[in-house]
Amino acid sequence: MASDANTVNIESAAAVKARGYHHGDLGAALVDCGMRLLESGDAESLSLRAVAREAGVSATAVYRHFADKAALLRALAREGLDQLAQNQRNAMMHAGGGAAGLDASGAAYVRFAVARPQLFRMIMSNIAVANGDVIDQTAAAPERVSGAMRQLRDAIAALAPPGTSAEEVRIIAARSWAQA
Amino acid sequence: MASDANTVNIESAAAVKARGYHHGDLGAALVDCGMRLLESGDAESLSLRAVAREAGVSATAVYRHFADKAALLRALAREGLDQLAQNQRNAMMHAGGGAAGLDASGAAYVRFAVARPQLFRMIMSNIAVANGDVIDQTAAAPERVSGAMRQLRDAIAALAPPGTSAEEVRIIAARSWAQA
DNA sequence: GCCATGATGCTAACACTGTAAACATTCCTG
DNA sequence: CAGGAATGTTTACAGTGTTAGCATCATGGC
């Protein structure tokens, strides 16, 4: 069988052979595959069917783990956000906290945004609609713009590629600030 | 004829009857119809076919005026941006320029964003990819954050609905600043 | 030990979408 | 008035999200 053109990648095909019918933990596997697809630059044309294909599973199997495509995207955004936060925490730890730590955290943020632009854009697009708690967290951040914010923005401006617009820098800084 | 379910709105149907084959100025009409569809809350599911339908024209006719869907969206974003700028200019004029004018301009910006959220979101999504000149303009804006900026942000925070996150306020302020 | 049942997967199908190709009609220029 | 250049139309195709109904597995109660 499988003579039609819907060839999945070899690893997945083998995995299918190995697992039989049930997949150990689709859902987790789906967000992994979605992540991988976002890495490989396929941009915003990330389709439900494509991630199902990548996972070596039929398109409709996704619906056993996510209500709809939006839910999948939200899960991806959340996972990406977690990774980002982890990166920032690590950077901050490594720098030993304090102002230097905050600087490092901001730098990690920008590195993330530059290294994985598709993921980053996806996060930014979906986080506003995602589960409210993250939104609430950022909304609950104090309003004061202290010197650290300026510091952060400077660090970002220094790290960002030359093409980056001043406004993008400002947005990134705001995000980073709220995150921290 | 026209016995199938693709009923266009009455005005357009009449217009079709009146014009015969050629439409006076599709392209302009298309962005008008797209605008109207964005107003009526249909959100991000704005389809090329839908605006063609709204214009009382076959889907593929769009391609005589726009290279692809992205081009249509860009045109819509540009039109929306023009309207925004016009609103801001008017508000500023009416307030008599100066700090009060800047305040009024910011207020007009927020009013726009709140009154037509679909359009606003669409502009924000597409402007980064749109024709470079607008981007360049914003990028060329001086980096300094003066007292006026803070003033602007305060005005926005006062005008925005209670649910608006602090970060959204900051982004709006940045946009508005760059615009002005 | 078996087998009912729920969780999980699959195929088929539907209503959409964006887009290309080929044909039709109208406008405008020579 | 002829004949191209514009502009619209129909038809078709590949791809999308989603639903309905069926198949297969894992597991806990008898």
Side-chain angles (χ1 to χ4, degrees), chain B residues 61-106:
Chain B
V62 175
Y63 287 87
R64 300 291 157 169
H65 299 263
F66 299 97
D68 52 3
K69 185 190 181 180
L72 211 197
L73 291 187
R74 248 172 306 162
L76 280 174
R78 174 176 281 283
E79 169 67 16
L81 198 61
D82 283 359
Q83 292 188 10
L84 210 192
Q86 182 85 19
N87 280 14
Q88 290 192 272
R89 256 194 306 274
N90 287 352
M92 187 176 259
M93 290 289 188
H94 199 277
L102 218 160
D103 234 45
S105 173

Short mmCIF file of all heavy atoms in Angstrom, two decimals, chain B residues 61-106:
data_model
loop_
_atom_site.label_atom_id
_atom_site.label_comp_id
_atom_site.label_asym_id
_atom_site.label_seq_id
_atom_site.Cartn_x
_atom_site.Cartn_y
_atom_site.Cartn_z
N ALA B 61 -11.56 37.50 -11.79
CA ALA B 61 -11.46 38.87 -12.31
C ALA B 61 -10.49 39.69 -11.46
O ALA B 61 -9.84 40.62 -11.95
CB ALA B 61 -12.83 39.53 -12.32
N VAL B 62 -10.39 39.31 -10.20
CA VAL B 62 -9.49 40.02 -9.29
C VAL B 62 -8.08 40.04 -9.84
O VAL B 62 -7.36 41.03 -9.72
CB VAL B 62 -9.51 39.36 -7.90
CG1 VAL B 62 -8.49 40.00 -6.98
CG2 VAL B 62 -10.90 39.43 -7.30
N TYR B 63 -7.70 38.98 -10.51
CA TYR B 63 -6.32 38.85 -10.97
C TYR B 63 -5.98 39.81 -12.11
O TYR B 63 -4.82 39.92 -12.49
CB TYR B 63 -6.04 37.40 -11.40
CG TYR B 63 -5.93 36.49 -10.22
CD1 TYR B 63 -7.05 35.90 -9.66
CD2 TYR B 63 -4.69 36.25 -9.62
CE1 TYR B 63 -6.95 35.09 -8.56
CE2 TYR B 63 -4.59 35.43 -8.52
CZ TYR B 63 -5.72 34.86 -7.99
OH TYR B 63 -5.61 34.05 -6.88
N ARG B 64 -6.97 40.50 -12.65
CA ARG B 64 -6.67 41.52 -13.64
C ARG B 64 -6.18 42.79 -12.97
O ARG B 64 -5.67 43.69 -13.63
CB ARG B 64 -7.91 41.84 -14.47
CG ARG B 64 -8.49 40.67 -15.23
CD ARG B 64 -7.56 40.23 -16.34
NE ARG B 64 -7.79 38.83 -16.70
CZ ARG B 64 -7.28 38.25 -17.76
NH1 ARG B 64 -6.50 38.93 -18.58
NH2 ARG B 64 -7.50 36.98 -18.00
N HIS B 65 -6.37 42.87 -11.63
CA HIS B 65 -6.04 44.11 -10.94
C HIS B 65 -5.04 43.91 -9.81
O HIS B 65 -4.39 44.85 -9.38
CB HIS B 65 -7.31 44.76 -10.38
CG HIS B 65 -8.30 45.11 -11.44
ND1 HIS B 65 -8.40 46.38 -11.98
CD2 HIS B 65 -9.23 44.37 -12.10
CE1 HIS B 65 -9.36 46.40 -12.90
NE2 HIS B 65 -9.87 45.18 -12.99
N PHE B 66 -4.92 42.67 -9.35
CA PHE B 66 -3.95 42.38 -8.29
C PHE B 66 -3.24 41.07 -8.61
O PHE B 66 -3.87 40.12 -9.08
CB PHE B 66 -4.66 42.28 -6.94
CG PHE B 66 -5.36 43.54 -6.52
CD1 PHE B 66 -6.71 43.69 -6.75
CD2 PHE B 66 -4.66 44.59 -5.94
CE1 PHE B 66 -7.37 44.86 -6.39
CE2 PHE B 66 -5.32 45.75 -5.58
CZ PHE B 66 -6.67 45.89 -5.80
N ALA B 67 -1.96 41.04 -8.38
CA ALA B 67 -1.17 39.87 -8.73
C ALA B 67 -1.66 38.63 -8.00
O ALA B 67 -1.77 37.54 -8.56
CB ALA B 67 0.30 40.10 -8.41
N ASP B 68 -1.97 38.79 -6.73
CA ASP B 68 -2.48 37.67 -5.95
C ASP B 68 -3.20 38.21 -4.71
O ASP B 68 -3.35 39.42 -4.56
CB ASP B 68 -1.35 36.72 -5.56
CG ASP B 68 -0.21 37.46 -4.90
OD1 ASP B 68 -0.34 38.69 -4.70
OD2 ASP B 68 0.81 36.84 -4.59
N LYS B 69 -3.61 37.31 -3.85
CA LYS B 69 -4.37 37.74 -2.68
C LYS B 69 -3.55 38.69 -1.82
O LYS B 69 -4.06 39.69 -1.31
CB LYS B 69 -4.78 36.53 -1.85
CG LYS B 69 -5.67 36.89 -0.69
CD LYS B 69 -5.88 35.72 0.27
CE LYS B 69 -6.79 36.13 1.41
NZ LYS B 69 -7.01 35.02 2.37
N ALA B 70 -2.27 38.39 -1.66
CA ALA B 70 -1.42 39.23 -0.83
C ALA B 70 -1.43 40.67 -1.33
O ALA B 70 -1.46 41.62 -0.54
CB ALA B 70 0.00 38.68 -0.83
N ALA B 71 -1.42 40.84 -2.64
CA ALA B 71 -1.43 42.19 -3.21
C ALA B 71 -2.72 42.91 -2.85
O ALA B 71 -2.71 44.10 -2.51
CB ALA B 71 -1.27 42.11 -4.73
N LEU B 72 -3.83 42.19 -2.91
CA LEU B 72 -5.11 42.78 -2.52
C LEU B 72 -5.05 43.23 -1.06
O LEU B 72 -5.41 44.36 -0.73
CB LEU B 72 -6.22 41.75 -2.70
CG LEU B 72 -7.63 42.23 -3.06
CD1 LEU B 72 -8.64 41.15 -2.79
CD2 LEU B 72 -8.01 43.49 -2.36
N LEU B 73 -4.57 42.35 -0.21
CA LEU B 73 -4.49 42.67 1.21
C LEU B 73 -3.59 43.89 1.43
O LEU B 73 -3.90 44.76 2.25
CB LEU B 73 -3.94 41.47 2.00
CG LEU B 73 -4.89 40.27 2.08
CD1 LEU B 73 -4.33 39.22 3.01
CD2 LEU B 73 -6.27 40.71 2.51
N ARG B 74 -2.50 43.93 0.70
CA ARG B 74 -1.60 45.07 0.83
C ARG B 74 -2.33 46.36 0.44
O ARG B 74 -2.20 47.38 1.11
CB ARG B 74 -0.37 44.87 -0.05
CG ARG B 74 0.90 44.67 0.76
CD ARG B 74 2.04 44.29 -0.17
NE ARG B 74 1.67 43.14 -1.01
CZ ARG B 74 2.27 42.80 -2.12
NH1 ARG B 74 3.25 43.54 -2.57
NH2 ARG B 74 1.89 41.73 -2.79
N ALA B 75 -3.09 46.30 -0.65
CA ALA B 75 -3.84 47.48 -1.08
C ALA B 75 -4.83 47.89 0.01
O ALA B 75 -4.99 49.08 0.30
CB ALA B 75 -4.58 47.17 -2.38
N LEU B 76 -5.49 46.90 0.60
CA LEU B 76 -6.44 47.20 1.68
C LEU B 76 -5.71 47.85 2.85
O LEU B 76 -6.19 48.84 3.41
CB LEU B 76 -7.12 45.91 2.14
CG LEU B 76 -8.27 45.43 1.26
CD1 LEU B 76 -8.78 44.08 1.73
CD2 LEU B 76 -9.40 46.45 1.27
N ALA B 77 -4.57 47.30 3.20
CA ALA B 77 -3.81 47.84 4.33
C ALA B 77 -3.41 49.28 4.05
O ALA B 77 -3.50 50.16 4.91
CB ALA B 77 -2.58 46.98 4.59
N ARG B 78 -2.97 49.51 2.82
CA ARG B 78 -2.54 50.86 2.46
C ARG B 78 -3.70 51.84 2.55
O ARG B 78 -3.57 52.94 3.09
CB ARG B 78 -1.96 50.84 1.04
CG ARG B 78 -1.61 52.21 0.50
CD ARG B 78 -0.95 52.11 -0.86
NE ARG B 78 0.45 51.74 -0.75
CZ ARG B 78 1.41 52.59 -0.39
NH1 ARG B 78 1.10 53.83 -0.09
NH2 ARG B 78 2.66 52.19 -0.33
N GLU B 79 -4.86 51.42 2.03
CA GLU B 79 -6.04 52.27 2.08
C GLU B 79 -6.40 52.57 3.54
O GLU B 79 -6.66 53.72 3.90
CB GLU B 79 -7.22 51.59 1.38
CG GLU B 79 -8.56 52.24 1.59
CD GLU B 79 -8.67 53.62 0.94
OE1 GLU B 79 -7.82 53.93 0.08
OE2 GLU B 79 -9.59 54.37 1.31
N GLY B 80 -6.41 51.51 4.36
CA GLY B 80 -6.74 51.69 5.76
C GLY B 80 -5.76 52.65 6.43
O GLY B 80 -6.15 53.53 7.21
N LEU B 81 -4.50 52.50 6.10
CA LEU B 81 -3.48 53.36 6.68
C LEU B 81 -3.70 54.80 6.29
O LEU B 81 -3.56 55.72 7.10
CB LEU B 81 -2.10 52.88 6.22
CG LEU B 81 -0.92 53.38 7.04
CD1 LEU B 81 -1.04 52.89 8.48
CD2 LEU B 81 0.38 52.91 6.43
N ASP B 82 -4.08 55.00 5.02
CA ASP B 82 -4.36 56.35 4.55
C ASP B 82 -5.50 56.97 5.34
O ASP B 82 -5.43 58.13 5.77
CB ASP B 82 -4.71 56.33 3.06
CG ASP B 82 -3.48 56.17 2.19
OD1 ASP B 82 -2.37 56.10 2.76
OD2 ASP B 82 -3.62 56.11 0.95
N GLN B 83 -6.55 56.18 5.54
CA GLN B 83 -7.70 56.69 6.29
C GLN B 83 -7.28 57.05 7.71
O GLN B 83 -7.69 58.08 8.25
CB GLN B 83 -8.83 55.65 6.32
CG GLN B 83 -9.47 55.43 4.96
CD GLN B 83 -10.69 54.55 5.05
OE1 GLN B 83 -11.18 54.24 6.13
NE2 GLN B 83 -11.19 54.13 3.88
N LEU B 84 -6.47 56.17 8.30
CA LEU B 84 -5.98 56.44 9.65
C LEU B 84 -5.24 57.77 9.68
O LEU B 84 -5.52 58.64 10.52
CB LEU B 84 -5.06 55.31 10.08
CG LEU B 84 -4.96 54.98 11.57
CD1 LEU B 84 -3.79 54.04 11.81
CD2 LEU B 84 -4.83 56.20 12.43
N ALA B 85 -4.31 57.91 8.77
CA ALA B 85 -3.50 59.13 8.74
C ALA B 85 -4.39 60.35 8.57
O ALA B 85 -4.19 61.38 9.23
CB ALA B 85 -2.49 59.04 7.60
N GLN B 86 -5.39 60.21 7.69
CA GLN B 86 -6.32 61.32 7.46
C GLN B 86 -7.03 61.68 8.77
O GLN B 86 -7.10 62.86 9.15
CB GLN B 86 -7.35 60.89 6.41
CG GLN B 86 -8.38 61.97 6.04
CD GLN B 86 -7.82 62.89 4.96
OE1 GLN B 86 -6.88 62.53 4.26
NE2 GLN B 86 -8.39 64.08 4.85
N ASN B 87 -7.54 60.65 9.46
CA ASN B 87 -8.20 60.88 10.74
C ASN B 87 -7.30 61.65 11.69
O ASN B 87 -7.72 62.61 12.35
CB ASN B 87 -8.57 59.54 11.39
CG ASN B 87 -9.84 58.95 10.81
OD1 ASN B 87 -10.30 59.38 9.76
ND2 ASN B 87 -10.39 57.95 11.48
N GLN B 88 -6.04 61.21 11.74
CA GLN B 88 -5.11 61.84 12.68
C GLN B 88 -4.86 63.29 12.30
O GLN B 88 -4.82 64.18 13.15
CB GLN B 88 -3.80 61.06 12.73
CG GLN B 88 -3.95 59.70 13.40
CD GLN B 88 -2.61 59.09 13.69
OE1 GLN B 88 -2.04 58.39 12.87
NE2 GLN B 88 -2.08 59.35 14.87
N ARG B 89 -4.68 63.50 10.99
CA ARG B 89 -4.43 64.86 10.53
C ARG B 89 -5.60 65.77 10.89
O ARG B 89 -5.42 66.86 11.42
CB ARG B 89 -4.21 64.87 9.02
CG ARG B 89 -2.74 65.01 8.63
CD ARG B 89 -2.61 65.36 7.15
NE ARG B 89 -3.31 64.40 6.30
CZ ARG B 89 -2.78 63.27 5.87
NH1 ARG B 89 -1.56 62.95 6.21
NH2 ARG B 89 -3.46 62.44 5.09
N ASN B 90 -6.81 65.27 10.60
CA ASN B 90 -8.00 66.07 10.89
C ASN B 90 -8.07 66.41 12.37
O ASN B 90 -8.31 67.55 12.74
CB ASN B 90 -9.26 65.29 10.49
CG ASN B 90 -9.44 65.25 8.98
OD1 ASN B 90 -8.71 65.93 8.25
ND2 ASN B 90 -10.39 64.46 8.52
N ALA B 91 -7.85 65.38 13.21
CA ALA B 91 -7.95 65.60 14.66
C ALA B 91 -6.93 66.65 15.10
O ALA B 91 -7.23 67.55 15.89
CB ALA B 91 -7.73 64.29 15.40
N MET B 92 -5.74 66.52 14.54
CA MET B 92 -4.68 67.46 14.92
C MET B 92 -5.03 68.89 14.50
O MET B 92 -4.91 69.84 15.28
CB MET B 92 -3.37 67.01 14.26
CG MET B 92 -2.16 67.81 14.71
SD MET B 92 -0.66 67.14 13.96
CE MET B 92 0.02 66.20 15.31
N MET B 93 -5.52 69.01 13.28
CA MET B 93 -5.96 70.32 12.79
C MET B 93 -7.01 70.90 13.72
O MET B 93 -6.93 72.05 14.15
CB MET B 93 -6.59 70.17 11.38
CG MET B 93 -5.61 69.85 10.28
SD MET B 93 -4.51 71.23 9.87
CE MET B 93 -3.69 70.60 8.41
N HIS B 94 -7.99 70.08 14.00
CA HIS B 94 -9.13 70.55 14.79
C HIS B 94 -8.71 71.01 16.17
O HIS B 94 -9.30 71.92 16.75
CB HIS B 94 -10.17 69.42 14.91
CG HIS B 94 -11.53 69.89 15.29
ND1 HIS B 94 -11.92 70.13 16.59
CD2 HIS B 94 -12.63 70.17 14.52
CE1 HIS B 94 -13.17 70.53 16.61
NE2 HIS B 94 -13.64 70.57 15.38
N ALA B 95 -7.66 70.37 16.69
CA ALA B 95 -7.19 70.72 18.03
C ALA B 95 -6.24 71.93 18.00
O ALA B 95 -5.84 72.43 19.05
CB ALA B 95 -6.51 69.53 18.69
N GLY B 96 -5.88 72.34 16.82
CA GLY B 96 -5.05 73.53 16.70
C GLY B 96 -3.56 73.28 16.86
O GLY B 96 -2.82 74.20 17.21
N GLY B 97 -3.11 72.06 16.59
CA GLY B 97 -1.69 71.76 16.62
C GLY B 97 -1.07 71.79 18.00
O GLY B 97 -1.77 71.81 19.02
N GLY B 98 0.24 71.73 18.04
CA GLY B 98 0.95 71.77 19.31
C GLY B 98 0.76 70.49 20.11
O GLY B 98 0.45 69.44 19.56
N ALA B 99 0.97 70.60 21.41
CA ALA B 99 0.84 69.43 22.27
C ALA B 99 -0.59 68.91 22.25
O ALA B 99 -0.83 67.70 22.18
CB ALA B 99 1.24 69.79 23.70
N ALA B 100 -1.56 69.81 22.29
CA ALA B 100 -2.96 69.41 22.24
C ALA B 100 -3.25 68.66 20.94
O ALA B 100 -3.96 67.65 20.93
CB ALA B 100 -3.86 70.63 22.36
N GLY B 101 -2.66 69.13 19.87
CA GLY B 101 -2.85 68.49 18.58
C GLY B 101 -2.30 67.08 18.58
O GLY B 101 -2.93 66.15 18.10
N LEU B 102 -1.13 66.93 19.17
CA LEU B 102 -0.53 65.61 19.24
C LEU B 102 -1.40 64.68 20.06
O LEU B 102 -1.61 63.51 19.71
CB LEU B 102 0.87 65.72 19.87
CG LEU B 102 1.91 64.80 19.25
CD1 LEU B 102 3.30 65.33 19.58
CD2 LEU B 102 1.76 63.38 19.74
N ASP B 103 -1.91 65.22 21.14
CA ASP B 103 -2.83 64.47 21.98
C ASP B 103 -4.04 64.01 21.18
O ASP B 103 -4.41 62.83 21.20
CB ASP B 103 -3.30 65.37 23.13
CG ASP B 103 -3.06 64.72 24.48
OD1 ASP B 103 -1.95 64.17 24.65
OD2 ASP B 103 -3.96 64.76 25.32
N ALA B 104 -4.63 64.94 20.46
CA ALA B 104 -5.82 64.64 19.66
C ALA B 104 -5.50 63.59 18.60
O ALA B 104 -6.28 62.68 18.33
CB ALA B 104 -6.35 65.90 19.01
N SER B 105 -4.31 63.71 18.02
CA SER B 105 -3.90 62.75 17.00
C SER B 105 -3.82 61.34 17.59
O SER B 105 -4.32 60.38 17.00
CB SER B 105 -2.54 63.15 16.44
OG SER B 105 -2.05 62.15 15.58
N GLY B 106 -3.23 61.26 18.77
CA GLY B 106 -3.14 59.95 19.45
C GLY B 106 -4.51 59.41 19.76
O GLY B 106 -4.80 58.23 19.55
#
